Amino acid sequence: SELKRAASSSLSAALQALLEQLQDLETRRANGQVNLPGGERLEVSNLHKVFWPEGSLTKGDLMRYYVQVSPFLLPVVADRPLVMKRHPNGIAAKAFYQQRAPDPVPDGVRVEVVEGDEGVPSRLVGGWLKTLLYMAQLAAISQDPWFSRVQSPGIADHVAIDLDPMPDAPFSRVLEVARWVRDELATLGATGYPKTSGADGLHIFIPLPPGTPYEAGLIYCQIVATMVATKHAKAATVERAVRARRADVVYVDYLQNIEGKTLACAYSARASDYAGASTPLTWDEIDGGIDRRDFTIRTLPARLQQVGDLWAPLLKSKGVKLRAVERYGR
């Protein structure tokens, strides 16, 4: 444990040094190379560019945020193919999606060919600080990993129910629907792991047993979401057509669980006006009520020091019992 402590303190010293280099370049409005832990280097530029006009937060702020949360975020994206949504001129300007990895990429940025990935020659794969910061350099604000790993692209490790409020639905209603999802999962003997989306809604992640194909996870979520919407039709819906939904309901979206679809992961920064960060929550917090705008790239590093890694139990879980849904609703 002495060795472990020494390793973690030297890592944090290396990360601290990296934060200082990034701050120095931004203050001087200079471009240049920064030294990463382990001897890697990365070319960075335009750190003073404003990404979030509302708080005058910059590309440099984004990079420093990712350095601070990297010990928590990198295990979440490890071995996962990533989709990039790039905001070269900040969140108020036009963004574009990029599936394929740039060619070439700097040495030490992980790129893999994903089996069966038609039309995409190769992808960036998460798990390395250099890849994370390279993506921030490319103005990819959020980290959007697949639910499966590059070694087993058809096998989902977890699924998610995305609670997406319509314009007239207050956030208190999102919290209410989250509690109902928790109740349905409890009926199945299952635990869900909630987090803010970093934008308007909430995500509830559900761990799957090893070897679960995407379709099985999707059906599980569909059943849970449909039960919630059936029992609480005034507040929740699974109606896919936006036009057909009432303006004050929460859409209980289970369709993100299709192979190749993504959600912003835990600890990801978001291109929301308030610079939200997707923040794992406790169910006590959801019961007590929270303001989603309290969880930002400014506030999350300090919260992590206080509450630790609330997402780690999801990553370690053996998964829910999928067959429990066969008796559901009878």
Side-chain angles (χ1 to χ4, degrees):
S1 73
E2 280 298 316
L3 275 174
K4 235 183 183 170
R5 265 204 297 281
S8 70
S9 67
S10 68
L11 173 69
S12 55
L15 291 179
Q16 195 57 47
L18 176 53
L19 289 175
E20 286 162 16
Q21 293 171 69
L22 289 164
Q23 185 64 68
D24 173 61
L25 284 172
E26 181 172 353
T27 304
R28 294 191 290 113
R29 293 185 159 233
N31 302 335
Q33 284 194 337
V34 288
N35 299 313
L36 309 186
E40 294 270 14
R41 295 169 74 81
L42 180 68
E43 198 77 41
V44 297
S45 60
N46 297 325
L47 298 183
H48 58 280
K49 182 178 271 192
V50 173
F51 275 8
W52 288 273
E54 191 175 285
S56 299
L57 290 162
T58 61
K59 182 183 190 174
D61 287 311
L62 176 67
M63 284 210 180
R64 288 188 295 277
Y65 167 75
Y66 274 139
V67 170
Q68 289 174 284
V69 301
S70 60
F72 301 88
L73 187 148
L74 293 175
V76 179
V77 295
D79 294 331
R80 299 190 189 282
L82 296 157
V83 174
M84 286 194 286
K85 186 177 186 183
R86 294 175 61 181
H87 297 78
N89 295 303
I91 70 158
K94 197 170 166 61
F96 64 96
Y97 281 98
Q98 182 171 335
Q99 301 280 348
R100 62 172 61 202
D103 185 21
V105 298
D107 286 347
V109 170
R110 187 174 174 195
V111 172
E112 301 280 357
V113 178
V114 182
E115 192 185 330
D117 197 6
E118 283 169 29
V120 181
S122 62
R123 290 183 185 271
L124 293 173
V125 174
W128 301 95
L129 180 61
K130 189 167 186 177
T131 306
L132 176 63
L133 296 184
Y134 172 66
M135 290 173 73
Q137 166 61 26
L138 295 177
I141 286 175
S142 60
Q143 286 282 296
D144 299 273
W146 284 21
F147 290 95
S148 53
R149 296 170 193 268
V150 70
Q151 303 93 314
S152 48
I155 301 299
D157 299 300
H158 40 251
V159 281
I161 291 175
D162 179 10
L163 302 182
D164 188 8
M166 292 292 284
D168 295 347
F171 193 69
S172 57
R173 185 158 299 153
V174 179
L175 295 172
E176 194 172 26
V177 176
R179 294 176 204 122
W180 295 331
V181 171
R182 173 186 59 189
D183 295 346
E184 296 305 328
L185 289 172
T187 307
L188 295 168
T191 301
Y193 295 83
K195 66 183 182 70
T196 67
S197 69
D200 298 329
L202 277 179
H203 300 151
I204 299 168
F205 273 60
I206 301 157
L208 296 174
T212 304
Y214 269 91
E215 198 177 353
L218 174 69
I219 291 166
Y220 186 93
C221 284
Q222 181 178 5
I223 291 169
V224 172
T226 304
M227 289 297 275
V228 169
T230 304
K231 289 181 183 178
H232 308 280
K234 286 192 171 148
T237 184
V238 287
E239 172 58 59
R240 289 168 74 170
V242 177
R243 284 192 310 273
R245 296 180 207 150
R246 287 204 329 274
D248 61 350
V249 298
V250 174
Y251 176 43
V252 187
D253 184 2
Y254 57 85
L255 291 168
Q256 297 297 338
N257 302 295
I258 292 167
E259 187 171 340
K261 281 209 165 206
T262 59
L263 285 174
C265 72
Y267 310 119
S268 175
R270 297 301 308 274
S272 48
D273 58 353
Y274 64 100
S278 185
T279 304
L281 301 169
T282 66
W283 284 108
D284 284 349
E285 286 175 307
I286 286 183
D287 286 336
I290 54 150
D291 181 345
R292 63 189 172 82
R293 297 179 74 94
D294 289 342
F295 302 94
T296 71
I297 67 168
R298 286 190 198 275
T299 63
L300 185 53
R303 174 181 164 87
L304 282 168
Q305 297 306 315
Q306 289 176 319
V307 304
D309 188 1
L310 297 178
W311 215 238
L314 170 79
L315 302 186
K316 292 182 188 133
S317 171
K318 292 187 171 66
V320 298
K321 291 186 169 61
L322 290 172
R323 297 195 77 105
V325 294
E326 291 175 4
R327 301 185 299 280
Y328 203 26
R330 283 186 191 165

